[in-house]
Amino acid sequence: MNRHARIVEALGGSTRVASLLGLKENTVSKWKARGIPSQHWYRIIALSPDLTPEYLDRTKPRYTQRRCEAAE
């Protein structure tokens, strides 16, 4: 799962984020694969100021870590 997908999931998933931002769920769902557009970053940060890169690194799924280690 990439960083953008982890951000959306950490905020409660596509449906919740879409509701909070007043967007369609499928719009936010696409962010997981395509990335969060720059014009929405300030709103994402406002939703959760605790969502730091360090937090995301701590919440990285273990299977992703194993795949990265295996690739090295």
Side-chain angles (χ1 to χ4, degrees):
M1 186 180 310
N2 68 41
R3 186 167 290 218
H4 295 263
R6 289 201 326 265
I7 289 170
V8 171
E9 292 305 314
L11 291 172
S14 300
T15 302
R16 182 167 184 271
V17 173
S19 176
L20 292 169
L21 298 179
L23 300 169
K24 293 180 181 179
E25 188 275 334
N26 67 341
T27 298
V28 175
S29 184
K30 290 176 186 176
W31 294 355
K32 293 193 237 179
R34 298 180 183 170
I36 299 169
S38 59
Q39 69 264 28
H40 294 290
W41 272 109
Y42 75 96
R43 296 171 76 195
I44 294 293
I45 292 167
L47 288 176
S48 182
D50 297 331
L51 199 60
T52 63
E54 293 78 20
Y55 170 80
L56 293 171
D57 286 340
R58 286 194 314 270
T59 60
K60 186 183 292 185
R62 291 178 184 232
Y63 71 87
T64 303
Q65 291 174 343
R66 277 188 245 133
R67 282 187 192 164
C68 291
E69 291 168 0
E72 293 174 351

PDB file of all heavy atoms in Angstrom, residues 23-59:
ATOM      1  N   LEU A  23     -16.605  15.564  -1.076  1.00  0.00           N
ATOM      2  CA  LEU A  23     -16.271  15.024  -2.396  1.00  0.00           C
ATOM      3  C   LEU A  23     -16.979  13.686  -2.599  1.00  0.00           C
ATOM      4  O   LEU A  23     -17.494  13.100  -1.650  1.00  0.00           O
ATOM      5  CB  LEU A  23     -14.758  14.830  -2.523  1.00  0.00           C
ATOM      6  CG  LEU A  23     -13.908  16.082  -2.361  1.00  0.00           C
ATOM      7  CD1 LEU A  23     -12.442  15.706  -2.241  1.00  0.00           C
ATOM      8  CD2 LEU A  23     -14.127  17.028  -3.520  1.00  0.00           C
ATOM      9  N   LYS A  24     -16.938  13.189  -3.816  1.00  0.00           N
ATOM     10  CA  LYS A  24     -17.483  11.862  -4.096  1.00  0.00           C
ATOM     11  C   LYS A  24     -16.500  10.803  -3.632  1.00  0.00           C
ATOM     12  O   LYS A  24     -15.283  10.984  -3.718  1.00  0.00           O
ATOM     13  CB  LYS A  24     -17.759  11.699  -5.589  1.00  0.00           C
ATOM     14  CG  LYS A  24     -18.862  12.591  -6.094  1.00  0.00           C
ATOM     15  CD  LYS A  24     -19.078  12.371  -7.569  1.00  0.00           C
ATOM     16  CE  LYS A  24     -20.185  13.291  -8.068  1.00  0.00           C
ATOM     17  NZ  LYS A  24     -20.416  13.114  -9.499  1.00  0.00           N
ATOM     18  N   GLU A  25     -17.060   9.683  -3.165  1.00  0.00           N
ATOM     19  CA  GLU A  25     -16.213   8.594  -2.658  1.00  0.00           C
ATOM     20  C   GLU A  25     -15.266   8.074  -3.727  1.00  0.00           C
ATOM     21  O   GLU A  25     -14.095   7.800  -3.448  1.00  0.00           O
ATOM     22  CB  GLU A  25     -17.104   7.474  -2.119  1.00  0.00           C
ATOM     23  CG  GLU A  25     -16.339   6.379  -1.387  1.00  0.00           C
ATOM     24  CD  GLU A  25     -15.786   5.300  -2.291  1.00  0.00           C
ATOM     25  OE1 GLU A  25     -16.366   5.092  -3.368  1.00  0.00           O
ATOM     26  OE2 GLU A  25     -14.782   4.679  -1.924  1.00  0.00           O
ATOM     27  N   ASN A  26     -15.739   7.949  -4.967  1.00  0.00           N
ATOM     28  CA  ASN A  26     -14.854   7.405  -6.005  1.00  0.00           C
ATOM     29  C   ASN A  26     -13.706   8.360  -6.336  1.00  0.00           C
ATOM     30  O   ASN A  26     -12.644   7.924  -6.756  1.00  0.00           O
ATOM     31  CB  ASN A  26     -15.639   7.008  -7.258  1.00  0.00           C
ATOM     32  CG  ASN A  26     -16.238   8.186  -7.989  1.00  0.00           C
ATOM     33  OD1 ASN A  26     -16.394   9.260  -7.434  1.00  0.00           O
ATOM     34  ND2 ASN A  26     -16.601   7.970  -9.243  1.00  0.00           N
ATOM     35  N   THR A  27     -13.897   9.646  -6.113  1.00  0.00           N
ATOM     36  CA  THR A  27     -12.809  10.610  -6.321  1.00  0.00           C
ATOM     37  C   THR A  27     -11.688  10.338  -5.328  1.00  0.00           C
ATOM     38  O   THR A  27     -10.515  10.230  -5.707  1.00  0.00           O
ATOM     39  CB  THR A  27     -13.329  12.054  -6.141  1.00  0.00           C
ATOM     40  OG1 THR A  27     -14.332  12.305  -7.122  1.00  0.00           O
ATOM     41  CG2 THR A  27     -12.209  13.071  -6.270  1.00  0.00           C
ATOM     42  N   VAL A  28     -12.050  10.204  -4.063  1.00  0.00           N
ATOM     43  CA  VAL A  28     -11.053   9.953  -3.017  1.00  0.00           C
ATOM     44  C   VAL A  28     -10.445   8.562  -3.188  1.00  0.00           C
ATOM     45  O   VAL A  28      -9.239   8.379  -3.000  1.00  0.00           O
ATOM     46  CB  VAL A  28     -11.682  10.124  -1.618  1.00  0.00           C
ATOM     47  CG1 VAL A  28     -10.694   9.754  -0.524  1.00  0.00           C
ATOM     48  CG2 VAL A  28     -12.174  11.556  -1.438  1.00  0.00           C
ATOM     49  N   SER A  29     -11.235   7.596  -3.587  1.00  0.00           N
ATOM     50  CA  SER A  29     -10.729   6.246  -3.806  1.00  0.00           C
ATOM     51  C   SER A  29      -9.618   6.227  -4.856  1.00  0.00           C
ATOM     52  O   SER A  29      -8.629   5.504  -4.718  1.00  0.00           O
ATOM     53  CB  SER A  29     -11.871   5.328  -4.221  1.00  0.00           C
ATOM     54  OG  SER A  29     -11.426   4.011  -4.349  1.00  0.00           O
ATOM     55  N   LYS A  30      -9.762   7.024  -5.883  1.00  0.00           N
ATOM     56  CA  LYS A  30      -8.738   7.098  -6.938  1.00  0.00           C
ATOM     57  C   LYS A  30      -7.425   7.669  -6.421  1.00  0.00           C
ATOM     58  O   LYS A  30      -6.364   7.380  -6.967  1.00  0.00           O
ATOM     59  CB  LYS A  30      -9.250   7.933  -8.113  1.00  0.00           C
ATOM     60  CG  LYS A  30     -10.346   7.253  -8.882  1.00  0.00           C
ATOM     61  CD  LYS A  30     -10.881   8.154  -9.979  1.00  0.00           C
ATOM     62  CE  LYS A  30     -12.079   7.514 -10.663  1.00  0.00           C
ATOM     63  NZ  LYS A  30     -12.685   8.403 -11.657  1.00  0.00           N
ATOM     64  N   TRP A  31      -7.492   8.483  -5.385  1.00  0.00           N
ATOM     65  CA  TRP A  31      -6.277   9.052  -4.815  1.00  0.00           C
ATOM     66  C   TRP A  31      -5.329   7.972  -4.327  1.00  0.00           C
ATOM     67  O   TRP A  31      -4.123   8.159  -4.320  1.00  0.00           O
ATOM     68  CB  TRP A  31      -6.596   9.961  -3.644  1.00  0.00           C
ATOM     69  CG  TRP A  31      -7.347  11.209  -3.978  1.00  0.00           C
ATOM     70  CD1 TRP A  31      -7.705  11.671  -5.213  1.00  0.00           C
ATOM     71  CD2 TRP A  31      -7.839  12.162  -3.051  1.00  0.00           C
ATOM     72  NE1 TRP A  31      -8.380  12.842  -5.098  1.00  0.00           N
ATOM     73  CE2 TRP A  31      -8.493  13.173  -3.787  1.00  0.00           C
ATOM     74  CE3 TRP A  31      -7.806  12.254  -1.664  1.00  0.00           C
ATOM     75  CZ2 TRP A  31      -9.080  14.272  -3.170  1.00  0.00           C
ATOM     76  CZ3 TRP A  31      -8.395  13.343  -1.063  1.00  0.00           C
ATOM     77  CH2 TRP A  31      -9.021  14.335  -1.806  1.00  0.00           C
ATOM     78  N   LYS A  32      -5.877   6.844  -3.896  1.00  0.00           N
ATOM     79  CA  LYS A  32      -5.032   5.771  -3.368  1.00  0.00           C
ATOM     80  C   LYS A  32      -4.071   5.253  -4.426  1.00  0.00           C
ATOM     81  O   LYS A  32      -2.957   4.869  -4.106  1.00  0.00           O
ATOM     82  CB  LYS A  32      -5.892   4.641  -2.817  1.00  0.00           C
ATOM     83  CG  LYS A  32      -6.675   5.033  -1.594  1.00  0.00           C
ATOM     84  CD  LYS A  32      -7.231   3.796  -0.931  1.00  0.00           C
ATOM     85  CE  LYS A  32      -8.718   3.843  -0.792  1.00  0.00           C
ATOM     86  NZ  LYS A  32      -9.237   2.622  -0.166  1.00  0.00           N
ATOM     87  N   ALA A  33      -4.486   5.248  -5.658  1.00  0.00           N
ATOM     88  CA  ALA A  33      -3.620   4.763  -6.740  1.00  0.00           C
ATOM     89  C   ALA A  33      -2.885   5.914  -7.438  1.00  0.00           C
ATOM     90  O   ALA A  33      -1.717   5.784  -7.794  1.00  0.00           O
ATOM     91  CB  ALA A  33      -4.452   4.001  -7.771  1.00  0.00           C
ATOM     92  N   ARG A  34      -3.562   7.033  -7.614  1.00  0.00           N
ATOM     93  CA  ARG A  34      -3.004   8.143  -8.398  1.00  0.00           C
ATOM     94  C   ARG A  34      -2.290   9.189  -7.562  1.00  0.00           C
ATOM     95  O   ARG A  34      -1.556  10.006  -8.098  1.00  0.00           O
ATOM     96  CB  ARG A  34      -4.121   8.827  -9.183  1.00  0.00           C
ATOM     97  CG  ARG A  34      -4.780   7.919 -10.179  1.00  0.00           C
ATOM     98  CD  ARG A  34      -5.862   8.647 -10.910  1.00  0.00           C
ATOM     99  NE  ARG A  34      -6.546   7.752 -11.838  1.00  0.00           N
ATOM    100  CZ  ARG A  34      -7.650   8.059 -12.472  1.00  0.00           C
ATOM    101  NH1 ARG A  34      -8.202   9.247 -12.311  1.00  0.00           N
ATOM    102  NH2 ARG A  34      -8.214   7.192 -13.283  1.00  0.00           N
ATOM    103  N   GLY A  35      -2.558   9.188  -6.275  1.00  0.00           N
ATOM    104  CA  GLY A  35      -1.972  10.193  -5.397  1.00  0.00           C
ATOM    105  C   GLY A  35      -2.974  11.283  -5.062  1.00  0.00           C
ATOM    106  O   GLY A  35      -3.906  11.546  -5.816  1.00  0.00           O
ATOM    107  N   ILE A  36      -2.777  11.904  -3.928  1.00  0.00           N
ATOM    108  CA  ILE A  36      -3.658  12.980  -3.484  1.00  0.00           C
ATOM    109  C   ILE A  36      -3.250  14.251  -4.222  1.00  0.00           C
ATOM    110  O   ILE A  36      -2.094  14.665  -4.156  1.00  0.00           O
ATOM    111  CB  ILE A  36      -3.548  13.184  -1.958  1.00  0.00           C
ATOM    112  CG1 ILE A  36      -3.978  11.895  -1.232  1.00  0.00           C
ATOM    113  CG2 ILE A  36      -4.377  14.378  -1.500  1.00  0.00           C
ATOM    114  CD1 ILE A  36      -3.656  11.879   0.245  1.00  0.00           C
ATOM    115  N   PRO A  37      -4.189  14.878  -4.937  1.00  0.00           N
ATOM    116  CA  PRO A  37      -3.856  16.097  -5.674  1.00  0.00           C
ATOM    117  C   PRO A  37      -3.378  17.208  -4.730  1.00  0.00           C
ATOM    118  O   PRO A  37      -3.872  17.342  -3.606  1.00  0.00           O
ATOM    119  CB  PRO A  37      -5.178  16.491  -6.343  1.00  0.00           C
ATOM    120  CG  PRO A  37      -5.978  15.240  -6.393  1.00  0.00           C
ATOM    121  CD  PRO A  37      -5.578  14.473  -5.162  1.00  0.00           C
ATOM    122  N   SER A  38      -2.437  17.993  -5.208  1.00  0.00           N
ATOM    123  CA  SER A  38      -1.830  19.031  -4.369  1.00  0.00           C
ATOM    124  C   SER A  38      -2.847  20.020  -3.820  1.00  0.00           C
ATOM    125  O   SER A  38      -2.693  20.503  -2.701  1.00  0.00           O
ATOM    126  CB  SER A  38      -0.738  19.767  -5.143  1.00  0.00           C
ATOM    127  OG  SER A  38      -1.283  20.365  -6.307  1.00  0.00           O
ATOM    128  N   GLN A  39      -3.913  20.309  -4.561  1.00  0.00           N
ATOM    129  CA  GLN A  39      -4.892  21.282  -4.068  1.00  0.00           C
ATOM    130  C   GLN A  39      -5.678  20.769  -2.860  1.00  0.00           C
ATOM    131  O   GLN A  39      -6.356  21.549  -2.195  1.00  0.00           O
ATOM    132  CB  GLN A  39      -5.848  21.736  -5.175  1.00  0.00           C
ATOM    133  CG  GLN A  39      -6.809  20.676  -5.650  1.00  0.00           C
ATOM    134  CD  GLN A  39      -6.323  19.954  -6.883  1.00  0.00           C
ATOM    135  OE1 GLN A  39      -5.131  19.836  -7.120  1.00  0.00           O
ATOM    136  NE2 GLN A  39      -7.258  19.462  -7.687  1.00  0.00           N
ATOM    137  N   HIS A  40      -5.568  19.486  -2.540  1.00  0.00           N
ATOM    138  CA  HIS A  40      -6.296  18.925  -1.390  1.00  0.00           C
ATOM    139  C   HIS A  40      -5.406  18.687  -0.177  1.00  0.00           C
ATOM    140  O   HIS A  40      -5.912  18.362   0.898  1.00  0.00           O
ATOM    141  CB  HIS A  40      -6.990  17.623  -1.782  1.00  0.00           C
ATOM    142  CG  HIS A  40      -8.077  17.822  -2.779  1.00  0.00           C
ATOM    143  ND1 HIS A  40      -9.258  18.454  -2.476  1.00  0.00           N
ATOM    144  CD2 HIS A  40      -8.145  17.507  -4.092  1.00  0.00           C
ATOM    145  CE1 HIS A  40     -10.025  18.507  -3.554  1.00  0.00           C
ATOM    146  NE2 HIS A  40      -9.365  17.933  -4.545  1.00  0.00           N
ATOM    147  N   TRP A  41      -4.096  18.856  -0.323  1.00  0.00           N
ATOM    148  CA  TRP A  41      -3.193  18.551   0.789  1.00  0.00           C
ATOM    149  C   TRP A  41      -3.492  19.381   2.024  1.00  0.00           C
ATOM    150  O   TRP A  41      -3.500  18.864   3.135  1.00  0.00           O
ATOM    151  CB  TRP A  41      -1.731  18.724   0.381  1.00  0.00           C
ATOM    152  CG  TRP A  41      -1.183  17.478  -0.207  1.00  0.00           C
ATOM    153  CD1 TRP A  41      -0.861  17.261  -1.506  1.00  0.00           C
ATOM    154  CD2 TRP A  41      -0.925  16.250   0.470  1.00  0.00           C
ATOM    155  NE1 TRP A  41      -0.427  15.976  -1.680  1.00  0.00           N
ATOM    156  CE2 TRP A  41      -0.449  15.327  -0.481  1.00  0.00           C
ATOM    157  CE3 TRP A  41      -1.064  15.830   1.780  1.00  0.00           C
ATOM    158  CZ2 TRP A  41      -0.109  14.028  -0.153  1.00  0.00           C
ATOM    159  CZ3 TRP A  41      -0.715  14.525   2.110  1.00  0.00           C
ATOM    160  CH2 TRP A  41      -0.240  13.648   1.147  1.00  0.00           C
ATOM    161  N   TYR A  42      -3.749  20.677   1.860  1.00  0.00           N
ATOM    162  CA  TYR A  42      -3.989  21.503   3.046  1.00  0.00           C
ATOM    163  C   TYR A  42      -5.220  21.026   3.804  1.00  0.00           C
ATOM    164  O   TYR A  42      -5.272  21.088   5.035  1.00  0.00           O
ATOM    165  CB  TYR A  42      -4.097  22.984   2.684  1.00  0.00           C
ATOM    166  CG  TYR A  42      -5.400  23.373   2.019  1.00  0.00           C
ATOM    167  CD1 TYR A  42      -6.450  23.895   2.766  1.00  0.00           C
ATOM    168  CD2 TYR A  42      -5.583  23.206   0.645  1.00  0.00           C
ATOM    169  CE1 TYR A  42      -7.646  24.241   2.164  1.00  0.00           C
ATOM    170  CE2 TYR A  42      -6.777  23.547   0.044  1.00  0.00           C
ATOM    171  CZ  TYR A  42      -7.808  24.062   0.807  1.00  0.00           C
ATOM    172  OH  TYR A  42      -8.988  24.392   0.205  1.00  0.00           O
ATOM    173  N   ARG A  43      -6.212  20.517   3.092  1.00  0.00           N
ATOM    174  CA  ARG A  43      -7.427  20.015   3.742  1.00  0.00           C
ATOM    175  C   ARG A  43      -7.151  18.684   4.444  1.00  0.00           C
ATOM    176  O   ARG A  43      -7.677  18.422   5.523  1.00  0.00           O
ATOM    177  CB  ARG A  43      -8.541  19.866   2.714  1.00  0.00           C
ATOM    178  CG  ARG A  43      -8.923  21.228   2.115  1.00  0.00           C
ATOM    179  CD  ARG A  43      -9.865  21.100   0.957  1.00  0.00           C
ATOM    180  NE  ARG A  43     -11.204  20.795   1.460  1.00  0.00           N
ATOM    181  CZ  ARG A  43     -12.177  20.341   0.695  1.00  0.00           C
ATOM    182  NH1 ARG A  43     -11.989  20.129  -0.595  1.00  0.00           N
ATOM    183  NH2 ARG A  43     -13.365  20.088   1.203  1.00  0.00           N
ATOM    184  N   ILE A  44      -6.328  17.849   3.838  1.00  0.00           N
ATOM    185  CA  ILE A  44      -5.957  16.570   4.452  1.00  0.00           C
ATOM    186  C   ILE A  44      -5.182  16.829   5.742  1.00  0.00           C
ATOM    187  O   ILE A  44      -5.448  16.224   6.780  1.00  0.00           O
ATOM    188  CB  ILE A  44      -5.115  15.715   3.475  1.00  0.00           C
ATOM    189  CG1 ILE A  44      -5.928  15.298   2.262  1.00  0.00           C
ATOM    190  CG2 ILE A  44      -4.483  14.523   4.178  1.00  0.00           C
ATOM    191  CD1 ILE A  44      -7.057  14.332   2.542  1.00  0.00           C
ATOM    192  N   ILE A  45      -4.244  17.753   5.702  1.00  0.00           N
ATOM    193  CA  ILE A  45      -3.448  18.085   6.890  1.00  0.00           C
ATOM    194  C   ILE A  45      -4.346  18.656   7.984  1.00  0.00           C
ATOM    195  O   ILE A  45      -4.195  18.331   9.160  1.00  0.00           O
ATOM    196  CB  ILE A  45      -2.317  19.059   6.523  1.00  0.00           C
ATOM    197  CG1 ILE A  45      -1.303  18.332   5.635  1.00  0.00           C
ATOM    198  CG2 ILE A  45      -1.642  19.627   7.768  1.00  0.00           C
ATOM    199  CD1 ILE A  45      -0.314  19.237   4.946  1.00  0.00           C
ATOM    200  N   ALA A  46      -5.320  19.478   7.594  1.00  0.00           N
ATOM    201  CA  ALA A  46      -6.245  20.060   8.575  1.00  0.00           C
ATOM    202  C   ALA A  46      -7.098  18.976   9.249  1.00  0.00           C
ATOM    203  O   ALA A  46      -7.467  19.119  10.416  1.00  0.00           O
ATOM    204  CB  ALA A  46      -7.142  21.095   7.908  1.00  0.00           C
ATOM    205  N   LEU A  47      -7.401  17.900   8.532  1.00  0.00           N
ATOM    206  CA  LEU A  47      -8.191  16.808   9.112  1.00  0.00           C
ATOM    207  C   LEU A  47      -7.433  16.093  10.221  1.00  0.00           C
ATOM    208  O   LEU A  47      -8.028  15.603  11.173  1.00  0.00           O
ATOM    209  CB  LEU A  47      -8.573  15.783   8.041  1.00  0.00           C
ATOM    210  CG  LEU A  47      -9.619  16.193   7.035  1.00  0.00           C
ATOM    211  CD1 LEU A  47      -9.799  15.088   6.002  1.00  0.00           C
ATOM    212  CD2 LEU A  47     -10.945  16.482   7.723  1.00  0.00           C
ATOM    213  N   SER A  48      -6.133  15.998  10.075  1.00  0.00           N
ATOM    214  CA  SER A  48      -5.344  15.261  11.052  1.00  0.00           C
ATOM    215  C   SER A  48      -3.911  15.781  11.112  1.00  0.00           C
ATOM    216  O   SER A  48      -3.026  15.277  10.422  1.00  0.00           O
ATOM    217  CB  SER A  48      -5.331  13.777  10.720  1.00  0.00           C
ATOM    218  OG  SER A  48      -4.597  13.088  11.697  1.00  0.00           O
ATOM    219  N   PRO A  49      -3.666  16.779  11.958  1.00  0.00           N
ATOM    220  CA  PRO A  49      -2.303  17.307  12.066  1.00  0.00           C
ATOM    221  C   PRO A  49      -1.306  16.277  12.613  1.00  0.00           C
ATOM    222  O   PRO A  49      -0.107  16.439  12.460  1.00  0.00           O
ATOM    223  CB  PRO A  49      -2.451  18.496  13.012  1.00  0.00           C
ATOM    224  CG  PRO A  49      -3.746  18.322  13.690  1.00  0.00           C
ATOM    225  CD  PRO A  49      -4.603  17.468  12.807  1.00  0.00           C
ATOM    226  N   ASP A  50      -1.808  15.182  13.220  1.00  0.00           N
ATOM    227  CA  ASP A  50      -0.924  14.138  13.749  1.00  0.00           C
ATOM    228  C   ASP A  50      -0.454  13.173  12.668  1.00  0.00           C
ATOM    229  O   ASP A  50       0.348  12.281  12.938  1.00  0.00           O
ATOM    230  CB  ASP A  50      -1.631  13.343  14.844  1.00  0.00           C
ATOM    231  CG  ASP A  50      -1.981  14.220  16.034  1.00  0.00           C
ATOM    232  OD1 ASP A  50      -1.256  15.206  16.267  1.00  0.00           O
ATOM    233  OD2 ASP A  50      -2.974  13.932  16.707  1.00  0.00           O
ATOM    234  N   LEU A  51      -0.941  13.322  11.461  1.00  0.00           N
ATOM    235  CA  LEU A  51      -0.602  12.410  10.372  1.00  0.00           C
ATOM    236  C   LEU A  51       0.744  12.812   9.776  1.00  0.00           C
ATOM    237  O   LEU A  51       0.841  13.488   8.776  1.00  0.00           O
ATOM    238  CB  LEU A  51      -1.703  12.462   9.314  1.00  0.00           C
ATOM    239  CG  LEU A  51      -1.791  11.307   8.350  1.00  0.00           C
ATOM    240  CD1 LEU A  51      -2.046  10.002   9.092  1.00  0.00           C
ATOM    241  CD2 LEU A  51      -2.909  11.556   7.372  1.00  0.00           C
ATOM    242  N   THR A  52       1.799  12.406  10.435  1.00  0.00           N
ATOM    243  CA  THR A  52       3.154  12.767  10.037  1.00  0.00           C
ATOM    244  C   THR A  52       3.795  11.627   9.248  1.00  0.00           C
ATOM    245  O   THR A  52       3.338  10.479   9.327  1.00  0.00           O
ATOM    246  CB  THR A  52       4.023  13.043  11.277  1.00  0.00           C
ATOM    247  OG1 THR A  52       4.110  11.817  12.037  1.00  0.00           O
ATOM    248  CG2 THR A  52       3.437  14.152  12.136  1.00  0.00           C
ATOM    249  N   PRO A  53       4.870  11.916   8.524  1.00  0.00           N
ATOM    250  CA  PRO A  53       5.583  10.829   7.838  1.00  0.00           C
ATOM    251  C   PRO A  53       6.049   9.741   8.812  1.00  0.00           C
ATOM    252  O   PRO A  53       6.037   8.569   8.481  1.00  0.00           O
ATOM    253  CB  PRO A  53       6.777  11.531   7.193  1.00  0.00           C
ATOM    254  CG  PRO A  53       6.306  12.928   6.979  1.00  0.00           C
ATOM    255  CD  PRO A  53       5.415  13.225   8.164  1.00  0.00           C
ATOM    256  N   GLU A  54       6.419  10.141  10.028  1.00  0.00           N
ATOM    257  CA  GLU A  54       6.851   9.159  11.022  1.00  0.00           C
ATOM    258  C   GLU A  54       5.704   8.230  11.402  1.00  0.00           C
ATOM    259  O   GLU A  54       5.883   7.025  11.535  1.00  0.00           O
ATOM    260  CB  GLU A  54       7.394   9.869  12.272  1.00  0.00           C
ATOM    261  CG  GLU A  54       8.676  10.631  12.039  1.00  0.00           C
ATOM    262  CD  GLU A  54       8.466  11.989  11.351  1.00  0.00           C
ATOM    263  OE1 GLU A  54       7.334  12.537  11.381  1.00  0.00           O
ATOM    264  OE2 GLU A  54       9.437  12.490  10.777  1.00  0.00           O
ATOM    265  N   TYR A  55       4.504   8.794  11.564  1.00  0.00           N
ATOM    266  CA  TYR A  55       3.328   7.974  11.873  1.00  0.00           C
ATOM    267  C   TYR A  55       3.071   6.979  10.738  1.00  0.00           C
ATOM    268  O   TYR A  55       2.817   5.801  10.978  1.00  0.00           O
ATOM    269  CB  TYR A  55       2.093   8.846  12.092  1.00  0.00           C
ATOM    270  CG  TYR A  55       0.815   8.048  12.169  1.00  0.00           C
ATOM    271  CD1 TYR A  55       0.443   7.400  13.338  1.00  0.00           C
ATOM    272  CD2 TYR A  55      -0.003   7.909  11.048  1.00  0.00           C
ATOM    273  CE1 TYR A  55      -0.714   6.644  13.402  1.00  0.00           C
ATOM    274  CE2 TYR A  55      -1.165   7.161  11.106  1.00  0.00           C
ATOM    275  CZ  TYR A  55      -1.509   6.534  12.281  1.00  0.00           C
ATOM    276  OH  TYR A  55      -2.646   5.775  12.330  1.00  0.00           O
ATOM    277  N   LEU A  56       3.143   7.449   9.519  1.00  0.00           N
ATOM    278  CA  LEU A  56       2.892   6.573   8.376  1.00  0.00           C
ATOM    279  C   LEU A  56       3.922   5.460   8.293  1.00  0.00           C
ATOM    280  O   LEU A  56       3.601   4.331   7.954  1.00  0.00           O
ATOM    281  CB  LEU A  56       2.864   7.388   7.080  1.00  0.00           C
ATOM    282  CG  LEU A  56       1.688   8.354   6.964  1.00  0.00           C
ATOM    283  CD1 LEU A  56       1.880   9.248   5.755  1.00  0.00           C
ATOM    284  CD2 LEU A  56       0.374   7.618   6.895  1.00  0.00           C
ATOM    285  N   ASP A  57       5.171   5.775   8.608  1.00  0.00           N
ATOM    286  CA  ASP A  57       6.198   4.738   8.603  1.00  0.00           C
ATOM    287  C   ASP A  57       5.928   3.692   9.679  1.00  0.00           C
ATOM    288  O   ASP A  57       6.143   2.510   9.470  1.00  0.00           O
ATOM    289  CB  ASP A  57       7.581   5.349   8.802  1.00  0.00           C
ATOM    290  CG  ASP A  57       8.066   6.067   7.551  1.00  0.00           C
ATOM    291  OD1 ASP A  57       7.539   5.782   6.459  1.00  0.00           O
ATOM    292  OD2 ASP A  57       8.956   6.918   7.676  1.00  0.00           O
ATOM    293  N   ARG A  58       5.433   4.127  10.835  1.00  0.00           N
ATOM    294  CA  ARG A  58       5.123   3.185  11.923  1.00  0.00           C
ATOM    295  C   ARG A  58       3.919   2.316  11.579  1.00  0.00           C
ATOM    296  O   ARG A  58       3.806   1.203  12.073  1.00  0.00           O
ATOM    297  CB  ARG A  58       4.853   3.932  13.225  1.00  0.00           C
ATOM    298  CG  ARG A  58       6.070   4.489  13.899  1.00  0.00           C
ATOM    299  CD  ARG A  58       5.776   4.904  15.338  1.00  0.00           C
ATOM    300  NE  ARG A  58       4.556   5.670  15.504  1.00  0.00           N
ATOM    301  CZ  ARG A  58       4.466   7.007  15.433  1.00  0.00           C
ATOM    302  NH1 ARG A  58       5.543   7.714  15.172  1.00  0.00           N
ATOM    303  NH2 ARG A  58       3.305   7.617  15.620  1.00  0.00           N
ATOM    304  N   THR A  59       3.017   2.822  10.752  1.00  0.00           N
ATOM    305  CA  THR A  59       1.803   2.072  10.433  1.00  0.00           C
ATOM    306  C   THR A  59       1.901   1.315   9.118  1.00  0.00           C
ATOM    307  O   THR A  59       0.925   0.759   8.653  1.00  0.00           O
ATOM    308  CB  THR A  59       0.576   3.014  10.378  1.00  0.00           C
ATOM    309  OG1 THR A  59       0.802   3.989   9.359  1.00  0.00           O
ATOM    310  CG2 THR A  59       0.342   3.685  11.705  1.00  0.00           C
TER     311      THR A  59
END
